[in-house]
Amino acid sequence: MTGAATKILTVFEDVIGVPLPIRVRCWDGSEAGPPDAAAQVHFRNRRALRRVLYSPNELGLARAYVSGDLDVDGDIFALLDVPDLVTRLGEDRLSALPLRSIVRAVGTFAGLGAVGLPPSPPSIEMRRKRGKRHSKSRDSATVSHHYDVGNRFYELFLGPSMVYSCGYWPEGVESLEAAQFAKLDLICRKLDLKPGMRLLDVGCGWGSMALHAAQNYGVDVVGVSLSNEQVEYAKGRVADAGLTDRIEIRVQDYRDVDDGPYDAISSIGMSEHVGLVNLPVYTAKLHDLLVPQGRLLNHAIAAVKSLSDKAEDGPSFIDSYIFPDGEILPLSKTIDALELSGFETRDSEALREHYALTLRAWVQNLRENWDGAVLQVGAPRVRTWLLYLAASALGFEEPHRLTIHQVLAVKPGDRGASGMARSRNSWYRWIEVPQIETGPRID
């Protein structure tokens, strides 16, 4: 009699359309697939199949994994790196399947006992969002969902730098901490920061950019974030550094900042939360806050393909677990909004490969600190983050899925003066990265 593993593997290969280089194990002890496969998928119970049956796409599989009904042993990259796996699990692919394939899959799952009511989603899934999309209240709630889960958890995979954005890995940089130092320093150089200047850091995170700019470039900094836990942590770091007279960190929406003008603005990994509808509001607000010849550095993930015509796509793993309401926009949309607001775009630097390296470093940190992370936030959330970070790393390693750009824009001064140097030479001078503590900060 054929075991459950062979039947399940056959169904998935039929749906996805390619052989799967994975080993499948099931609750009945059966196994199927290459015995030397780098990744093994373990269906621990029939409920895992029901999750897939009721959401036959990436969300169903993610729910099964996050809940622990399905487990992945071995190299998770080997599983996620199956060509076009996520695309093939998308709604377009499933709707295009022949009726006989759909009937065969449903019949196989039913025969294996995957019947009954749909299982409840894992408790950490954000299901119902209140208020208008990208309203101040809803943005505050979605940011809190992502960031207010415990600073200690973020310490375990971000490392001492506590920077949650793409690092910069030029030749000679081999550690995550050095890459994040190099990234912050590159941004400061692009902004041409000098002592006495006033910098606004939008979406300041745990305060790393504010501290770097104040300590190394002598500027005064205001950092704003919608995460209460981030702000309290950043305030503690500022106090420890003796910089409370130079750095102010506050819980505030970027739309409510009214104490300009600023000489420069950094926005690092924040504009993904703004949304297409509010992008003109965002760029116009930052333009208004700058002095003439003031610079904005917008560091953000970008989509490689054009946006969907749909106002809102259906629920996805990212929207339900990681970045509710997040929108990854094509670079052209960002530049268009900047220029319509009065900015002059002066430079755009793609760092796609740099983000892949950063994400793999975060995955390694999370794996090495797995037990501690589970103690902090529970196994479902740690599983969520491993899946997200690993899939994202692969997304940046391929040239036609995701990318990331540092866009430098200037608010022109009198008669169009930009205040820019004639070359980029000063941006890429290399300075020695100082010794950075290797252990996470423990409050």
Side-chain angles (χ1 to χ4, degrees), residues 345-361:
T345 303
R346 299 293 305 215
D347 187 78
S348 179
E349 182 173 7
L351 299 173
R352 178 174 62 83
E353 295 90 346
H354 296 253
Y355 215 169
L357 290 169
T358 304
L359 284 155
R360 282 190 176 263

Side-chain angles (χ1 to χ4, degrees), residues 172-343:
V173 168
E174 298 180 355
S175 73
L176 176 62
E177 287 72 33
Q180 294 295 12
F181 183 98
K183 185 269 300 295
L184 295 176
D185 209 65
L186 178 62
I187 291 173
C188 290
R189 283 180 256 154
K190 288 183 176 182
L191 290 172
D192 196 26
L193 297 183
K194 294 181 174 63
M197 281 186 170
R198 195 162 180 251
L199 169 70
L200 173 64
D201 187 28
V202 182
C204 65
W206 292 272
S208 299
M209 175 63 187
L211 286 163
H212 187 96
Q215 290 172 328
N216 296 284
Y217 288 84
V219 299
D220 295 327
V221 188
V222 172
V224 298
S225 169
L226 291 176
S227 167
N228 288 285
E229 291 194 16
Q230 281 188 335
V231 166
E232 289 307 308
Y233 187 96
K235 285 182 176 178
R237 296 177 75 191
V238 170
D240 290 346
L243 290 170
T244 53
D245 60 330
R246 302 264 305 283
I247 300 174
E248 179 186 1
I249 306 292
R250 58 200 188 205
V251 177
Q252 190 173 35
D253 191 290
Y254 71 91
R255 288 162 283 196
D256 294 330
V257 178
D258 60 2
D259 58 349
Y262 289 89
D263 299 289
I265 298 176
S266 54
S267 178
I268 308 170
M270 179 272 174
S271 64
E272 297 92 334
H273 295 285
V274 170
L276 181 61
V277 171
N278 279 352
L279 192 58
V281 176
Y282 167 79
T283 55
K285 179 65 177 180
L286 301 189
H287 182 273
D288 289 345
L289 287 169
L290 279 171
V291 300
Q293 299 186 31
R295 301 183 192 183
L296 164 68
L297 190 292
N298 194 79
H299 174 113
I301 300 171
V304 175
K305 62 182 180 180
S306 299
L307 294 174
S308 168
D309 291 333
K310 302 176 186 177
E312 290 192 37
D313 292 329
S316 65
F317 167 68
I318 294 292
D319 188 60
S320 299
Y321 287 92
I322 305 298
F323 286 117
D325 290 343
E327 295 181 44
I328 306 302
L329 307 177
L331 176 63
S332 58
K333 297 291 184 182
T334 299
I335 292 179
D336 190 42
L338 287 168
E339 294 181 343
L340 288 173
S341 296
F343 280 106

Side-chain angles (χ1 to χ4, degrees), residues 76-77 80 359-360 363 367 385-395:
I76 193 170
F77 286 106
L80 297 176
L359 284 155
R360 282 190 176 263
V363 167
R367 283 173 163 167
W385 278 88
L386 178 62
L387 185 60
Y388 160 62
L389 296 175
S392 296
L394 294 170

Side-chain angles (χ1 to χ4, degrees), residues 45-220:
N45 50 52
R46 293 176 175 85
R47 187 169 55 244
L49 295 183
R50 291 210 307 276
R51 292 189 185 280
V52 175
L53 187 62
Y54 280 100
S55 296
N57 49 37
E58 63 171 78
L59 187 58
L61 284 171
R63 285 171 172 167
Y65 176 67
V66 170
S67 66
D69 294 330
L70 179 150
D71 210 350
V72 178
D73 300 320
D75 185 3
I76 193 170
F77 286 106
L79 171 63
L80 297 176
D81 202 23
V82 173
D84 298 326
L85 175 63
V86 174
T87 301
R88 291 172 184 271
L89 288 172
E91 296 295 344
D92 291 341
R93 167 68 184 173
L94 294 171
S95 63
L97 284 175
L99 179 60
R100 65 179 180 275
S101 295
I102 297 174
V103 171
R104 184 163 56 245
V106 172
T108 299
F109 280 15
L112 290 172
V115 294
L117 296 174
S120 298
S123 61
I124 63 171
E125 180 175 315
M126 189 170 189
R127 296 183 289 278
R128 186 173 64 177
K129 308 179 187 74
R130 299 181 182 275
K132 183 180 178 181
R133 195 178 195 197
H134 295 302
S135 65
K136 293 179 183 179
S137 60
R138 181 157 157 173
D139 277 355
S140 178
T142 56
V143 167
S144 179
H145 170 86
H146 185 80
Y147 294 103
D148 292 341
V149 298
N151 294 322
R152 176 62 174 144
F153 169 64
Y154 282 96
E155 286 179 333
L156 291 173
F157 74 89
L158 294 182
S161 64
M162 286 302 282
V163 179
Y164 183 38
S165 55
C166 170
Y168 179 59
W169 302 75
E171 296 297 327
V173 168
E174 298 180 355
S175 73
L176 176 62
E177 287 72 33
Q180 294 295 12
F181 183 98
K183 185 269 300 295
L184 295 176
D185 209 65
L186 178 62
I187 291 173
C188 290
R189 283 180 256 154
K190 288 183 176 182
L191 290 172
D192 196 26
L193 297 183
K194 294 181 174 63
M197 281 186 170
R198 195 162 180 251
L199 169 70
L200 173 64
D201 187 28
V202 182
C204 65
W206 292 272
S208 299
M209 175 63 187
L211 286 163
H212 187 96
Q215 290 172 328
N216 296 284
Y217 288 84
V219 299
D220 295 327

